[in-house]
Amino acid sequence: MNIAPGKTEVSNVPFDQARVDRLMEDAGIDVLFATSKHNTQYLLGGYKFIFFAAMDAIGHSRYLPIVLYEKGGPEHAAYIGNKMEGGEHQDHPFWTPTLHAACWGTLDAANLAVEHLKEIGKQAARIGIEPAFLPSDAYTLIRKALPDAKLIDATDMLERMRAIKTEAELEQLRIASELITDSMLATIGWAREGTSKTDIIERLRREETNRGAHFEYCLLTLGSSHNRAASSQAWKKGEVLSIDSGGNYHGYIGDLCRMGVLGEPDAELEDLLAEVEAVQQAAFSKVKAGILGGDMIAHAESVLKASKVAAYTDFFAHGMGLITHEAPFLMTNHPVAYEGTYAAKPLEKNMVLSVETTMLHRSRGFIKLEDTVAVTDTGYVMFGDRGRGWNRGGIS
């Protein structure tokens, strides 16, 4: 069915327009051309088309949602989506005054975007694009159709846009973390001697799904192994289990790690997890609005350096929200390849951090804690703050 472009009045821009306009001005951008799922979701106030939630490819092309936003001109905003999204608009209208629910691939979406830019007189504008999320055929079409336009990498500007969470976003992240934590603890309690890694991961998937979370992955170790992939390896009496899972709630990420043991933890295990916890607490002690991100990293690393487990333990912290690694970027290429551009900047209220300390012990295995904290004026609040010690397997 062909759906004609729709026109509505601007009713409620679902983001901090003044802040976004300021960020665009600082970046030298006149019009945003957002094409990633996470940024289109953010700019649309949380909307994501369910049909393409788990894939992009269709026919010979792929789904390419586009949100066009002119600095200071929300009345010129447009959303370009798939033909089936016309029904979504009928039930829950998009805020953008212009809607083109008409596309099946990248080129028809790019063509409509070009037409819209010409219609609002921005064919020679400074256009902010997402190079990593703009297919080459769509980029080539835009470059040829708008020869006078300047295409600017808007990646950093868009990351800054999402860095400070709203109260509603914090609640989504809190729920995601709570659901993932509950699911991991239930899974540890369910697993028994002889349960395989593959079965444990499948159980976690069901636990998260049944609680209303969207399961994304589980990285799991048993015993002395550091291999976190699914396999037939079975849990044995006295062995440790490390369960690290990522899932989301309405797109917002829950990403935590908890530890289990089949039986009672011995003195060595208690001591090793305490070393990990000491580094985590060192990092938490420096989380507060106004403190430099790099100072938090340096303090945690100094505590780890003085630890007896330093030779085989690593500390890492990163921002998170709609994706698992986003602003604030606190460490350079550790391990994900990006620059720690926020290390010399103060943490700000409502930033959200993942803080993780990982020990690769030769005989006792993979021992890790990963926590999610939101920055406040006086310190932090932790999401999913449970099960941070040794959780017993086979008790449910």
Side-chain angles (χ1 to χ4, degrees):
M1 179 177 68
N2 292 324
I3 299 173
K7 288 281 186 177
T8 62
E9 295 298 322
V10 177
S11 56
N12 185 27
V13 178
F15 51 83
D16 186 340
Q17 183 188 335
R19 184 168 180 271
V20 171
D21 288 348
R22 184 174 65 253
L23 290 171
M24 291 175 68
E25 177 65 26
D26 292 345
I29 294 171
D30 301 314
V31 181
L32 272 179
F33 191 106
T35 51
S36 65
K37 286 182 178 178
H38 51 281
N39 282 320
T40 56
Q41 178 179 346
Y42 185 90
L43 292 167
L44 291 174
Y47 168 78
K48 180 167 62 176
F49 187 29
I50 188 65
F51 187 80
F52 289 100
M55 51 89 176
D56 292 321
I58 189 159
H60 291 298
S61 191
R62 56 158 287 182
Y63 177 58
L64 184 65
I66 303 175
V67 173
L68 294 166
Y69 172 73
E70 180 186 355
K71 181 181 64 183
E75 69 277 8
H76 291 157
Y79 177 53
I80 297 167
N82 181 263
K83 281 191 175 185
M84 291 185 286
E85 291 181 84
E88 304 280 340
H89 178 66
Q90 290 173 8
D91 293 337
H92 303 285
F94 303 113
W95 75 267
T96 56
T98 297
L99 166 67
H100 292 281
C103 304
W104 283 110
T106 57
L107 295 180
D108 47 355
N111 264 316
L112 285 170
V114 168
E115 290 176 11
H116 183 77
L117 289 172
K118 290 179 177 178
E119 183 178 335
I120 65 174
K122 293 296 178 179
Q123 60 268 38
R126 298 170 299 176
I127 301 170
I129 63 170
E130 299 186 74
F133 296 93
L134 183 59
S136 61
D137 58 353
Y139 174 87
T140 300
L141 186 153
I142 293 164
R143 183 69 284 169
K144 289 181 178 179
L146 302 173
D148 297 324
K150 182 178 181 181
L151 303 185
I152 298 172
D153 187 345
T155 302
D156 181 66
M157 178 255 134
L158 290 165
E159 290 289 344
R160 292 174 184 274
M161 174 185 73
R162 302 194 324 274
I164 310 299
K165 274 55 179 181
T166 64
E167 293 302 318
E169 288 182 289
L170 290 176
E171 180 64 7
Q172 302 281 56
L173 285 160
R174 184 193 68 78
I175 293 172
S177 299
E178 298 292 340
L179 296 178
I180 301 304
T181 301
D182 287 344
S183 299
M184 292 194 297
L185 297 183
T187 299
I188 294 172
W190 166 85
R192 284 163 168 72
E193 186 172 8
T195 307
S196 73
K197 291 176 72 177
T198 297
D199 288 341
I200 294 171
I201 292 170
E202 173 58 20
R203 180 70 180 207
L204 180 67
R205 184 191 67 78
R206 294 182 183 182
E207 293 284 353
E208 292 185 10
T209 301
N210 290 342
R211 286 173 168 80
H214 178 79
F215 175 82
E216 294 190 355
Y217 64 84
C218 175
L219 303 173
L220 183 73
T221 69
L222 297 177
S224 61
S225 173
H226 301 158
N227 185 324
R228 299 202 286 172
S231 74
S232 60
Q233 180 187 356
W235 204 7
K236 297 177 182 178
K237 195 71 174 177
E239 287 186 339
V240 306
L241 171 154
S242 169
I243 189 166
D244 186 336
S245 181
N248 75 69
Y249 182 75
H250 297 293
Y252 286 86
I253 300 298
D255 182 17
L256 302 101
C257 185
R258 295 293 181 258
M259 296 301 302
V261 61
L262 196 55
E264 291 298 318
D266 56 35
E268 183 183 38
L269 287 180
E270 294 282 16
D271 183 53
L272 293 174
L273 190 56
E275 294 288 338
V276 169
E277 172 72 342
V279 180
Q280 291 288 99
Q281 292 298 329
F284 300 153
S285 72
K286 296 296 182 180
V287 175
K288 184 173 73 171
I291 290 182
L292 296 183
D295 288 349
M296 183 268 282
I297 300 296
H299 183 60
E301 289 182 329
S302 69
V303 170
L304 175 57
K305 185 177 180 179
S307 169
K308 60 186 179 183
V309 301
Y312 44 88
T313 304
D314 182 68
F315 172 76
F316 185 40
H318 56 89
M320 59 183 293
L322 280 170
I323 59 177
T324 53
H325 286 257
E326 62 178 42
F329 299 106
L330 300 170
M331 303 175 76
T332 297
N333 299 335
H334 187 101
V336 185
Y338 51 70
E339 295 295 316
T341 51
Y342 279 74
K345 299 176 183 178
L347 296 174
E348 297 183 58
K349 179 182 178 182
N350 289 9
M351 285 181 168
V352 176
L353 311 176
S354 177
V355 179
E356 49 189 295
T357 303
T358 305
M359 179 191 302
L360 302 181
H361 194 279
R362 180 162 52 181
S363 61
R364 303 315 299 264
F366 197 102
I367 300 175
K368 175 179 179 178
L369 288 175
E370 181 174 9
D371 299 295
T372 299
V373 297
V375 180
T376 69
D377 286 329
T378 57
Y380 66 93
V381 59
M382 186 182 294
F383 300 150
D385 185 12
R386 297 183 308 288
R388 302 183 67 259
W390 286 107
N391 300 287
R392 278 64 170 177
I395 61 173
S396 63

